[in-house]
Amino acid sequence: MAVVLSLRLGFVAPPYPRTSSGRLATSFRAVACAGGGTTSPITVAGDPPTVVSAPGRRIVAIGDVHGDLSQTRAALVLAGVLSAESEGHVWTGGRTVLVQVGDILDRGEDEIAILSLFSSLNAQAKSQGGAVFQVNGNHETMNVEGDFRYVVNPGGFEECIRFLEYLDECDGNWDNAFLSWVNVAERRKKEYRASPNGDHTRWNFVKKYSGFAARSSLFKRGGLLACELARHPVVLKINDWIFCHGGLLPHHVEYGIERMNREVSMWMKCQSEDSGDETDIPFIATRGYDSVVWSRLYSQDPAERTRRALMLSSIIAEQTLKSVEAKGMVVGHTPQIHGVNCKCDGKVWCIDVGMSYGVLYSRPEVLEIVNDRPRVLKKQRDSYDEMEVLDYL
């Protein structure tokens, strides 16, 4: 039976006022916080969350961040949900609903700090009537499997060592250590690298083993960070929009979205309804080219596909969305060289722009959905005070 949680929220934000030229005439914070009467509360169904009702809320979605804390902050500031000051990590989104579509892990060196940041922002957002959701991607499931081949930066292992040391200093208090890690991570990184054993260039066997052991203990099934990831779904529906990492397909819907979310979560926590299948990975969600976290059916570059293949993916997207009574889908997973864009006749939005320094190191871009109208927010020139808003629909 679905677990339903209700969060009491504030006021409905009015539509964005615009000048005669069509540019935004107010700040994101003003839009998120302004408003006149009360509105319905956000309700969350499923454990982990599967269906979210957030009436009248502004939704912002962020793609793959791959361990790059600086670019993650930049994307959040761009979205209007994080204070521009680097210290403090204050939520400024009011009643905004923020969604991150997976692949926080691998390729960078601040993965736990980013997980900590999103958890901290979620606690702040709830107090203001907003919410923060995460969707697990293929790199989250790979780490729980013990597949660390994309931990290409030694800093990814080092952070695990430093975090376990910090957890010990917090007397094993997980909530305290995890929520505050983002505020101390950079200082402790500098201190570690200034120490005799912190030289990046001398990544010897002992350090490699220590880093591997630390990461394994945190991300193994039933490990502290694996259980943290287990709180999040692989598919999430917010209002009339589907959010997932790779792509939702008809056979996923037939199998059951809530069932997939529950099975992946239980697998990460090393629990099972059937003790005989305790070690089985949920294949339909996490393995294979057509699984939820691996599929590129919707996000592949059109130049690499035939016209027939493009038409087929559009038809599949339409059928899938119709079956779950949704208007659109938002996915990550495949870096979009030309930025956030829509495919499948406007039905699917691809928001992975490869912003991490471990991928393309491109400018952050964010998808914003207000009143079911998607817009791309991206940095203009060198200032976050000036925004370029592209209306596709």
Side-chain angles (χ1 to χ4, degrees):
M1 180 179 294
V3 176
V4 181
L5 307 175
S6 295
L7 308 176
R8 186 66 58 186
L9 301 184
F11 303 100
V12 179
Y16 280 7
R18 292 178 178 269
T19 65
S20 58
S21 65
R23 295 185 66 82
L24 296 181
T26 188
S27 69
F28 292 118
R29 183 169 176 79
V31 170
C33 298
T38 60
T39 188
S40 301
I42 287 178
T43 59
V44 182
D47 183 16
T50 298
V51 179
V52 176
S53 175
R57 297 321 192 275
R58 171 183 181 248
I59 302 172
V60 289
I62 294 176
D64 308 30
V65 295
H66 280 301
D68 192 329
L69 180 59
S70 177
Q71 289 285 76
T72 302
R73 285 173 176 155
L76 293 171
V77 172
L78 178 64
V81 299
L82 180 69
S83 58
E85 294 77 15
S86 60
E87 300 295 330
H89 302 103
V90 177
W91 172 263
T92 60
R95 291 176 304 280
T96 297
V97 174
L98 168 67
V99 189
Q100 199 282 327
V101 297
D103 278 11
I104 289 175
L105 302 184
D106 291 340
R107 304 189 189 281
E109 61 181 18
D110 293 303
E111 303 147 283
I112 305 175
I114 297 172
L115 291 171
S116 170
L117 173 59
F118 280 113
S119 185
S120 174
L121 291 178
N122 184 40
Q124 296 177 57
K126 286 181 179 180
S127 70
Q128 297 180 30
V132 177
F133 295 98
Q134 295 167 234
V135 173
N136 285 322
N138 60 306
H139 284 266
E140 280 72 49
T141 62
M142 289 168 68
N143 272 266
V144 176
E145 285 187 84
D147 185 346
F148 299 153
R149 73 193 125 135
Y150 292 101
V151 189
V152 294
N153 190 318
F157 290 108
E158 290 177 356
E159 187 190 23
C160 294
I161 296 173
R162 296 193 303 272
F163 177 73
L164 285 176
E165 292 173 351
Y166 182 64
L167 179 61
D168 187 56
E169 292 173 16
C170 292
D171 297 323
N173 186 319
W174 172 257
D175 289 338
N176 182 32
F178 184 61
L179 285 174
S180 62
W181 177 247
V182 67
N183 295 319
V184 302
E186 291 191 58
R187 173 176 58 81
R188 294 181 75 95
K189 184 197 300 184
K190 292 177 182 178
E191 292 173 353
Y192 178 84
R193 291 184 177 170
S195 68
N197 295 324
D199 186 358
H200 243 328
T201 61
R202 299 177 61 187
W203 190 241
N204 58 36
F205 175 79
V206 174
K207 287 176 67 177
K208 282 183 179 180
Y209 178 79
S210 298
F212 188 90
R215 192 174 185 96
S216 296
S217 69
L218 287 168
F219 284 105
K220 69 181 180 181
R221 294 179 61 211
L224 291 171
L225 283 178
C227 289
E228 196 64 37
L229 294 176
R231 297 172 182 266
H232 311 302
V234 290
V235 181
L236 180 67
K237 184 183 181 186
I238 302 179
N239 296 342
D240 294 324
W241 290 80
I242 292 291
F243 297 86
C244 56
H245 185 66
L248 185 67
L249 302 173
H251 67 284
H252 302 146
V253 178
E254 183 178 356
Y255 186 81
I257 294 174
E258 187 172 3
R259 178 184 175 186
M260 278 195 303
N261 285 339
R262 184 177 64 252
E263 289 180 354
V264 174
S265 178
M266 295 179 71
W267 169 76
M268 287 181 166
K269 291 185 289 188
C270 205
Q271 298 174 352
S272 177
E273 294 174 339
D274 182 350
S275 59
D277 293 330
E278 187 173 276
T279 60
D280 287 352
I281 187 170
F283 194 93
I284 193 170
T286 61
R287 288 279 187 91
Y289 71 94
D290 61 350
S291 64
V292 171
V293 301
W294 281 100
S295 175
R296 300 186 195 271
L297 178 68
Y298 305 131
S299 58
Q300 190 175 355
D301 188 344
E304 300 175 359
R305 309 181 68 191
T306 65
R307 183 178 178 183
R308 178 181 174 83
L310 291 172
M311 291 178 60
L312 180 61
S313 63
S314 182
I315 292 171
I316 292 174
E318 183 175 12
Q319 291 176 343
T320 303
L321 292 171
K322 184 177 180 180
S323 68
V324 294
E325 299 181 342
K327 295 178 180 178
M329 189 185 307
V330 180
V331 303
H333 192 40
T334 306
Q336 306 296 303
I337 304 300
H338 302 294
V340 173
N341 64 89
C342 58
K343 293 181 170 65
C344 301
D345 297 325
K347 302 177 187 70
V348 179
W349 284 82
C350 304
I351 66 171
D352 176 14
V353 296
M355 71 177 80
S356 170
Y357 63 79
V359 185
L360 299 178
Y361 203 28
S362 61
R363 297 188 310 174
E365 296 186 14
V366 176
L367 182 68
E368 173 197 70
I369 303 172
V370 178
N371 297 327
D372 283 332
R373 294 191 66 212
R375 301 181 180 92
V376 181
L377 308 179
K378 66 180 182 179
K379 181 180 174 183
Q380 186 180 38
R381 303 185 185 91
D382 295 320
S383 173
Y384 282 113
D385 295 328
E386 293 180 292
M387 302 289 178
E388 181 179 356
V389 181
L390 306 178
D391 289 327
Y392 282 87
L393 297 179

